[in-house]
Amino acid sequence: MTDLADRQKLSYIAAQAADARLNVELETEGMTLNIGPQHPATHGTLRIIVRLDGEQVVWAEPSAGYMHRGYEKLTEVRTFPQVTALVNRIDWLGSFANEVPFILAAEQLMDIEAPPRAQWIRTILFELSRIANVSLFLGDLGVQLGAVTPVFMAFRDREYVLNLIESATGGRFHPNFDRIGGLKDDLPAGWIAETKQVMKKLRNFCDEIEELLFGNEIFQSRLRGIGVIPAEVAKQYGLSGANLRASGVDWDLRRDQKLPLAYDKVDWKVWTHPDGDSFARCWIRLQETREATHIVDQLLDGIPNGPIMAKVPRIIKVPEGEAWVSTENPLGEMGYYVVSKGDLGPFRVKIRSASFNNISIVPWVLRGVYVPDVISILASLYFILGDIDR
Amino acid sequence: MGLVDKGRLPKPLTTLFNMGRSYSLWVYQWGLACCAIEMGAAFGSPRYDVMRLGVIPLPASPRQADLVVISGTVTDKMAPSIKRLYEQMPEPKYVISMGSCANCGGPYWDSYSVTKGIDQIIPVDVYVPGCPPRPEALLEGVVLLQQRIKNEDMGARWRGEGTKAIVREPIVVGGGPVE
Amino acid sequence: MSDDSTVAELPGDALREGVVQALRDALGDALLDSVIVPQRDVWVRVRTDAWRQAGIVLRDTVGCDYFCFLSAIDWMPSPFGRGEDDPTQPAPERDTEIRQGVTGGDTRMQVFARVTNIAKHFGVTIKADVADDDTVVDSWVPVYAGANWHERETHEMFGIGFAGHPDLRNMYLPTDFEGHPLRKDFPLLARLVKPWPGIADVEPLPGDDSEDES
């Protein structure tokens, strides 16, 4: 561990030096580098303006807004089912996960709970969307660092999960399957057996990626000790999900919050890592994917029978009130603050998206970092543009 | 080539050139949002492999690309970059608009920051509807575009009558055969 | 002060009552209102000039070290409804009364934030009025570093100023964008320009007693 502590100290000193360099009069002309908005490594249209002194970053600033679609204004003119359909597209890789906190908030306002069968199936689909999302992250991680092969494996294995989601909901992603009071439809016959097979394949995929990428010496030396975020800073900025747990903070909304989802009915583990560097963030996501497959396996064995939808009126008017629900989405903590005035649609919805907070730390974490490390830090922080820009 | 400049391009040569062009398209992927993932699945995944159609999804820059696939929501802030990208491509160039956001604004048709379709900025050859369209739909769009290229009048194109002069009705995937 | 704690013996309840009490001790009469939904959530409203002080109290005394988000609500009902009117017809009568939500309020806009105490697993939603004539509040950047981007977004969407913010420029919109989109009087032009084609006339099924929608 001395090696790691030295690297951390070095990067801290480099950051201090970068700050100090701004004041030196004999400074050489720095260069301003514009990364994005169209760049293979930026997961979408994120533009980062970076001022360099040689190879080191002196100042960095992400410029978001290239995918700003005005979600919060659009939700004010739509009805609740329409908002559910729209909200799928915020985190567009794990789409079912976006619907769930919104539906839960509306159900809280209406003071109803979905029947147990619906709760279990919601949890299963939630974990499937987590697997679909993070398996693409693992593939993309290779591409950011120059290893092109894992992304083909990721797409191939993701197809199995998308097929599952499609056979249950009708949509590969953007399922639009959640309804206030339950789900739209029940599971098709044979889905449970098929899902178990797919979970085995996904576990193989995780093992392959672990061997191919994480055991690789180049991968380790590019990610260990880079982009260290201490726990206090992470909490101040509101980092969530794997980013927070990689800094040693033991906080997982699936376990620490009481929501009508089936997480307390199964046995599973929360992964944390003390280092807080890029490697820790990536490693935790790998472990969480494997954990998600275990959760799905256990849930599949115990789905209760019963109705799939609670008794709700055909035209839903949610009573007046305010509710906040957040869940542990694949990207982090995603929450909706729903203000309703007894209408067909919400009055105001504040969407708290995980990547917005995750990327707000970029100016802080990129100081004193070398240019290739910029890409690897961004890769490890993992954001989706739709989540940042809404 | 001398034949083309003087407008004397015999039919067999045109057919040969068109066939060659349509089966070696280099696609620049301008992936913006969710459709980019389906485009990635269509172009990069082993299942919906696009290379079997002769389309290579790996040009290093827009200046080496024949075809650009614009997939995902176009915002007003992003629109100038797309225009600049389109202008960087050399003729003959084609544009496929993938997904309802790029076709017409899609689910964000009433937003204050979304451009309602990229055909407001650049001319589009093929519209692929869907939200997101399945990878097979995108491949169908590419195949229909290849059919159109095979039937194109190369002479008119190379005489300098650029995209504005040629009246081309855009293809919509699912809209029937193309001549 | 309104306390919704009808079920008094549950442990989650005592926790949140302790939070409200700690805030009351630290802020005195700057704590204007509080609502507790037992086992679920707690809302508080503070006076506008105590906004930053309340943040400091939440961070240091109550122990909410995790910054969730910061934003604003415009309580004026939209004069355009849901943008589904026929522009050839005169505009229908609309409710224009400004009714604030859970912890009440006196002004059209309120700024609100949420912070979480990770060790004890609870969160607090805190609101403050924003005066109609002087839409400026103190910035929370010295309290939570993450508030930086949230305040930029709130500023461009609502037009609320944040005193003490190091760099208040637009987050999402281009610099030449005019207007503040999330204010209710900012229209969605695409909906005003032509009549909404999607109005569904839903008739009740035979034997169903749900209402019509037009």
Side-chain angles (χ1 to χ4, degrees):
Chain A
M1 269 315 206
T2 42
D3 195 21
L4 186 61
D6 285 341
R7 299 278 290 272
Q8 289 179 356
K9 229 185 276 175
L10 265 176
S11 59
Y12 183 68
I13 294 175
Q16 302 278 59
D19 280 342
R21 208 171 288 141
L22 284 170
N23 301 325
V24 170
E25 282 178 16
L26 292 174
E27 181 182 283
T28 50
E29 184 93 8
M31 177 178 121
T32 304
L33 180 67
N34 193 16
I35 304 180
Q38 173 65 357
H39 192 271
T42 59
H43 281 279
T45 54
L46 181 68
R47 176 172 171 229
I48 306 188
I49 310 165
V50 166
R51 211 172 289 154
L52 297 172
D53 179 23
E55 264 293 281
Q56 270 187 321
V57 171
V58 167
W59 175 90
E61 167 80 33
S63 171
Y66 287 93
M67 191 46 63
H68 178 68
R69 297 174 278 195
Y71 261 92
E72 296 182 5
K73 186 79 179 176
L74 294 181
T75 54
E76 290 172 9
V77 291
R78 281 167 170 65
T79 62
F80 276 89
Q82 290 174 337
V83 175
T84 313
L86 196 68
V87 139
N88 266 316
R89 291 152 171 85
I90 296 182
D91 165 13
W92 52 66
L93 282 182
S95 306
F96 186 79
N98 301 321
E99 303 174 28
V100 170
F102 179 73
I103 293 286
L104 290 178
E107 288 179 356
Q108 234 181 52
L109 285 172
M110 287 188 75
D111 212 10
I112 58 174
E113 243 189 44
R117 188 177 171 84
Q119 289 181 19
W120 282 62
I121 298 180
R122 246 183 216 165
T123 317
I124 293 176
L125 286 172
F126 198 97
E127 290 300 311
L128 281 180
S129 72
R130 183 189 311 274
I131 295 171
N133 192 328
V134 186
S135 56
L136 192 66
F137 159 77
L138 293 170
D140 236 1
L141 186 58
V143 170
Q144 317 288 15
L145 302 179
V148 178
T149 314
V151 82
F152 297 109
M153 290 157 56
F155 269 117
R156 176 198 68 191
D157 286 307
R158 225 176 139 248
E159 288 295 320
Y160 299 129
V161 179
L162 291 181
N163 280 345
L164 277 183
I165 300 183
E166 186 185 10
S167 55
T169 69
R172 277 154 62 95
F173 32 108
H174 306 329
N176 189 15
F177 197 56
D178 227 346
R179 299 281 181 270
I180 296 183
L183 293 171
K184 174 173 172 281
D185 261 330
D186 211 334
L187 295 174
W191 195 83
I192 296 183
E194 182 70 29
T195 310
K196 290 215 171 115
Q197 296 298 322
V198 171
M199 291 297 108
K200 282 205 196 81
K201 288 193 186 131
L202 260 301
R203 276 194 282 274
N204 283 346
F205 167 72
C206 288
D207 292 335
E208 275 178 351
I209 291 281
E210 187 158 25
E211 225 178 279
L212 200 60
L213 274 185
F214 285 76
N216 189 323
E217 203 185 304
I218 299 178
F219 187 87
Q220 296 224 354
S221 67
R222 275 197 76 171
L223 290 184
R224 277 202 192 271
I226 305 291
V228 178
I229 302 180
E232 284 315 310
V233 178
K235 286 193 278 195
Q236 283 257 314
Y237 277 91
L239 249 51
S240 49
N243 297 335
L244 190 62
R245 289 194 281 282
S247 297
V249 179
D250 191 5
W251 174 243
D252 188 324
L253 286 163
R254 294 175 284 177
R255 178 197 61 190
D256 297 329
Q257 230 190 13
K258 190 89 188 57
L259 280 177
L261 292 171
Y263 288 111
D264 45 354
K265 312 275 193 308
V266 292
D267 220 356
W268 57 284
K269 185 179 148 165
V270 174
W271 294 84
T272 59
H273 198 288
D275 279 344
D277 57 4
S278 301
F279 184 78
R281 294 190 275 272
C282 302
W283 184 86
I284 286 196
R285 289 204 179 91
L286 176 71
Q287 308 305 324
E288 285 185 352
T289 312
R290 227 184 255 136
E291 199 68 35
T293 58
H294 291 306
I295 297 179
V296 171
D297 271 339
Q298 292 177 59
L299 284 173
L300 287 171
D301 286 328
I303 304 184
N305 291 323
I308 199 78
M309 186 86 171
K311 281 258 174 286
V312 285
R314 210 156 55 86
I315 296 177
I316 295 188
K317 285 199 178 179
V318 174
E320 191 158 337
E322 297 173 26
W324 160 258
V325 172
S326 70
T327 53
E328 184 76 22
N329 274 40
L331 291 173
E333 175 183 350
M334 179 175 211
Y336 293 80
Y337 190 87
V338 179
V339 178
S340 165
K341 291 250 168 160
D343 228 347
L344 289 165
F347 182 77
R348 160 113 170 89
V349 175
K350 160 71 189 166
I351 306 174
R352 192 269 188 202
S353 52
S355 303
F356 188 63
N357 285 35
N358 286 352
I359 294 303
S360 66
I361 205 176
V362 158
W364 184 90
V365 81
L366 282 187
R367 295 168 316 161
V369 147
Y370 293 110
V371 170
D373 293 337
V374 168
I375 302 297
S376 65
I377 292 178
L378 285 176
S380 73
L381 279 177
Y382 193 40
F383 52 90
I384 299 273
L385 248 301
D387 214 33
I388 305 181
D389 286 345
R390 279 174 264 124
Chain B
M1 299 180 63
L3 284 173
V4 178
D5 290 348
K6 295 187 178 69
R8 280 181 311 195
L9 205 58
K11 190 104 184 350
L13 209 55
T14 312
T15 317
L16 193 63
F17 280 162
N18 281 346
M19 214 161 68
R21 272 195 309 138
S22 70
Y23 288 133
S24 66
L25 288 169
W26 283 65
V27 181
Y28 189 71
Q29 309 172 28
W30 184 268
L32 294 163
C34 348
C35 284
I37 312 296
E38 287 293 43
M39 184 172 67
F43 288 175
S45 93
R47 178 175 290 193
Y48 307 108
D49 182 18
V50 79
M51 286 208 201
R52 58 192 157 116
L53 302 174
V55 175
I56 316 284
L58 310 162
S61 87
R63 293 200 186 270
Q64 295 178 355
D66 296 303
L67 167 63
V68 66
V69 174
I70 305 209
S71 50
T73 321
V74 179
T75 54
D76 290 337
K77 203 169 171 186
M78 193 69 181
S81 315
I82 296 187
K83 182 90 178 132
R84 208 177 308 147
L85 160 86
Y86 181 72
E87 284 161 6
Q88 279 182 352
M89 287 169 65
E91 284 279 353
K93 54 190 171 187
Y94 304 94
V95 175
I96 293 184
S97 152
M98 175 184 181
S100 37
C101 287
N103 290 348
C104 63
Y108 312 102
W109 64 279
D110 50 350
S111 169
Y112 50 83
S113 64
V114 167
T115 309
K116 322 285 189 279
I118 46 149
D119 46 7
Q120 300 200 348
I121 315 172
I122 58 182
V124 173
D125 287 290
V126 182
Y127 292 93
V128 183
C131 189
R134 280 195 67 109
E136 291 102 329
L138 180 60
L139 297 182
E140 166 89 358
V142 170
V143 166
L144 290 176
L145 182 67
Q146 284 176 333
Q147 285 175 11
R148 163 163 291 172
I149 296 179
K150 284 205 276 263
N151 298 331
E152 236 181 15
D153 177 6
M154 263 196 78
R157 240 207 144 99
W158 286 39
R159 266 194 297 275
E161 288 160 26
T163 32
K164 291 209 176 63
I166 300 178
V167 173
R168 294 186 303 195
E169 243 187 58
I171 310 170
V172 178
V173 168
V178 156
E179 85 279 324
Chain C
M1 316 282 170
S2 66
D3 257 1
D4 204 351
S5 49
T6 47
V7 191
E9 281 85 33
L10 296 168
D13 212 49
L15 176 67
R16 289 181 173 90
E17 290 206 38
V19 167
V20 175
Q21 189 58 43
L23 281 170
R24 204 173 293 150
D25 293 336
L27 297 171
D29 60 348
L31 178 70
L32 298 174
D33 202 354
S34 74
V35 169
I36 299 182
V37 173
Q39 295 279 64
R40 197 175 275 172
D41 217 346
V42 56
W43 280 263
V44 292
R45 183 165 72 94
V46 298
R47 228 176 30 211
T48 316
D49 52 2
W51 178 242
R52 186 184 288 175
Q53 179 62 22
I56 296 176
V57 170
L58 280 172
R59 185 189 63 183
D60 298 331
T61 316
V62 180
C64 291
D65 46 359
Y66 182 85
F67 174 74
C68 203
F69 69 87
L70 185 151
S71 186
I73 308 181
D74 181 352
W75 288 107
M76 182 173 91
S78 168
F80 309 103
R82 284 219 302 283
E84 296 176 357
D85 304 329
D86 190 349
T88 57
Q89 308 291 339
E93 279 298 313
R94 291 221 158 87
D95 179 19
T96 51
E97 190 208 335
I98 296 182
R99 285 186 333 268
Q100 286 85 358
V102 167
T103 45
D106 305 310
T107 55
R108 174 184 159 189
M109 290 205 272
Q110 285 187 325
V111 65
F112 75 117
R114 181 154 179 105
V115 289
T116 313
N117 182 328
I118 287 193
K120 300 222 185 89
H121 299 187
F122 70 89
V124 180
T125 308
I126 177 168
K127 296 188 189 181
D129 288 340
V130 174
D132 289 326
D133 47 356
D134 178 29
T135 54
V136 177
V137 259
D138 284 331
S139 163
W140 261 27
V141 171
V143 187
Y144 293 99
N148 191 319
W149 276 30
H150 291 254
E151 288 179 353
R152 274 173 66 189
E153 188 203 344
T154 312
H155 169 74
E156 75 169 342
M157 290 291 160
F158 287 93
I160 298 177
F162 289 92
H165 191 284
D167 181 21
L168 204 63
R169 34 184 184 103
N170 274 0
M171 179 87 237
Y172 288 147
L173 302 169
T175 8
D176 51 355
F177 194 94
E178 282 173 18
H180 297 286
L182 276 177
R183 290 195 179 185
K184 296 289 188 174
D185 45 5
F186 183 94
L188 284 174
L189 292 173
R191 283 196 177 235
L192 297 182
V193 160
K194 57 188 271 198
W196 170 238
I199 295 177
D201 194 13
V202 180
E203 294 180 359
L205 292 174
D208 205 10
D209 37 304
S210 50
E211 302 159 13
D212 265 353
E213 180 206 350
S214 66

